Amino acid sequence: MTVRIGVIGTGAIGSDHARRINQVLAGGKVVALSDVKSASAEAVRAGVAPDAKLYATGEQLIAADDVDAVLVASWGATHEPYVLAAIAAGKPCFCEKPLATTAEGAKRIVDAETARGRRLVQVGFMRRYDAGYVELKEAVRSRTGAPIMVHAAHRNPTVPEAYVTAMAIHDTLIHEIDVLRWLLDDDYVSARVFFPRQAARANAKLRDPQVVVLETKKGVLIDVEIFVNCHYGYDIQCEVVGEDGTARLPEPMAVQLRLGAKLQNDILTDWKDRFVSAYDVELQDFLKAAARGTAAGPSSWDGYVAAITSDACVKAQEAQGVAVPIEMVRKPALYD
Ligand code: NAP
């Protein structure tokens, strides 16, 4: 079966997802496109989806009879109403992160999906599909002994002027928030944030770098350095310290050079290149489940937990090192 997909939001990642559905993956075809900038949807149709119909609104696209499943890649604040409309229409929906910009919004999606009694939503937390993280999770499960600590880092060479302190949580840390609880099979109970001295390249509206310390139910202590003006590259680090040993996320594949009396290899600079294969695998998983009229992978519940945790981390940024509790409602059985 070919799943007929409608894509809402055809910017950087929406256009790339349309390309991978039509040119890389099996089992899906982009049949509909919608973007508030119609020229953007036109360009995607011309480039990678010649048979797609253009819709003036996302709501019209979701309601179209020939759209079996929906991919939401518009601006974050618009995700919630589109996902709710897809659930109401009973159509599987892949939603780029964030699921919603507030925990209440994410909870509304959890409630709507639970009321339908069937998984319909996959959230775009692609790191769970990265081969390196998959191997790391297996090493933690079978080799290192029970985890005690995690040391992680999320470094970008630079960020736009408009990037402010809270975005280090909502736009950047959110990937660690999801992947680390998946990696440890655990949940968070509190967050603290510490700021060292300001990096010289950071703008006046951004405290950079920062260190987020998350404590889990099982007592694991996680420190994540977020440094978005690190200058040298896009660098994701993760090391788990267990009872018997440690396990570290593999570096991306890179040719090693012995050159000019130095042993060296390049470090990536663009985030788009770091998880490119993971994006392919996550969307293939979506197409496979959508063909059965359902969804797999990171769920609305995971989107809700990410929203609750992000809110606590933003509060912790203001709490000057004091722990902010992370409390959530009981997990519905649909997500067990
Ligand atoms: P982008 O390049 O700005 O593209 C978003 C597009 O959606 C723009 O053309 C925007 O038009 C359009 N849009 C805004 N509101 C809309 C609406 N109500 N209906 C239809 N289209 C609408 O942004 P992006 O970088 O692709 O990011 C899109 C989403 O993906 C964000 O939520 C982002 O966090 C997420 N993302 C995830 C990853 C990941 O690693 N998983 C990576 C990148 C992005 P205007 O420009 O006129 O607003």
Side-chain angles (χ1 to χ4, degrees):
M1 172 194 174
T2 298
V3 183
R4 297 167 299 175
I5 309 279
V7 177
I8 302 174
T10 53
I13 200 143
S15 60
D16 204 34
H17 283 334
R19 174 197 60 78
R20 54 173 52 88
I21 290 167
N22 277 5
Q23 298 183 348
V24 181
L25 308 179
K29 181 175 179 182
V30 176
V31 298
L33 297 163
S34 180
D35 194 290
V36 283
K37 285 191 291 218
S38 56
S40 159
E42 277 286 3
V44 172
R45 175 165 70 176
V48 300
D51 300 332
K53 273 188 233 160
L54 302 190
Y55 289 84
T57 69
E59 287 79 5
Q60 288 166 4
L61 176 149
I62 293 166
D65 285 340
D66 65 348
V67 169
D68 302 317
V70 179
L71 189 152
V72 178
S74 46
W75 184 50
T78 66
H79 293 182
E80 182 193 339
Y82 289 142
V83 176
L84 287 172
I87 293 171
K91 297 186 180 184
C93 177
F94 179 93
C95 179
E96 263 309 336
K97 60 87 187 161
L99 178 62
T101 47
T102 62
E104 297 75 31
K107 176 70 170 40
R108 281 191 284 273
I109 292 173
V110 165
D111 290 345
E113 195 181 36
T114 311
R116 273 204 91 101
R118 177 159 56 105
R119 280 270 325 258
L120 283 169
V121 179
Q122 177 177 339
V123 182
F125 288 131
M126 75 294 176
R127 285 200 197 175
R128 296 180 182 210
Y129 293 94
D130 173 67
Y133 273 108
V134 170
E135 276 192 38
L136 180 60
K137 185 172 166 78
E138 178 53 26
V140 170
R141 192 193 65 78
S142 62
R143 310 281 299 276
T144 61
I148 304 169
M149 291 177 285
V150 178
H151 309 299
H154 190 144
R155 304 192 187 117
N156 292 57
T158 182
V159 285
E161 267 302 299
Y163 188 106
V164 294
T165 303
M167 290 170 78
I169 305 298
H170 290 301
D171 283 22
T172 301
L173 183 75
I174 190 151
H175 284 296
E176 270 78 17
I177 288 175
D178 180 70
V179 82
L180 296 180
R181 59 183 276 276
W182 167 83
L183 182 70
L184 299 173
D185 196 15
D186 205 344
D187 261 317
Y188 306 119
V189 292
S190 75
R192 274 170 285 176
V193 177
F194 299 90
F195 297 99
R197 76 161 177 80
Q198 178 81 334
R201 289 188 180 86
N203 71 52
K205 294 194 196 118
L206 170 65
R207 289 294 306 268
D208 185 48
Q210 46 190 288
V211 177
V212 179
V213 177
L214 293 161
E215 193 185 353
T216 75
K217 277 188 182 155
K218 294 178 189 166
V220 177
L221 211 58
I222 301 169
D223 57 271
V224 187
E225 169 204 316
I226 310 163
F227 188 9
V228 295
N229 286 281
C230 83
H231 192 60
Y232 71 84
Y234 181 71
D235 194 8
I236 301 299
Q237 297 290 327
C238 183
E239 182 186 37
V240 181
V241 180
E243 295 281 356
D244 304 324
T246 75
R248 181 178 276 276
L249 184 70
E251 294 291 337
M253 195 172 70
V255 170
Q256 201 178 63
L257 298 170
R258 285 172 160 77
L259 201 65
K262 287 190 173 68
L263 180 64
Q264 53 186 296
N265 54 259
D266 289 346
I267 293 177
L268 295 172
T269 54
D270 189 338
W271 60 266
K272 287 189 216 76
D273 300 329
R274 176 63 180 83
F275 294 107
V276 70
S277 309
Y279 291 124
D280 289 348
V281 186
E282 72 167 354
L283 270 192
Q284 190 64 73
D285 202 29
F286 176 69
L287 293 176
K288 203 170 127 199
R292 292 182 281 108
T294 184
S299 65
S300 298
W301 176 256
D302 298 314
Y304 163 75
V305 173
I308 287 271
T309 308
S310 298
D311 287 353
C313 289
V314 171
K315 273 195 203 140
Q317 286 179 326
E318 287 145 26
Q320 305 194 352
V322 175
V324 174
I326 300 171
E327 288 157 334
M328 49 198 84
V329 299
R330 201 183 169 85
K331 181 160 82 169
L334 181 66
Y335 305 107
D336 281 339

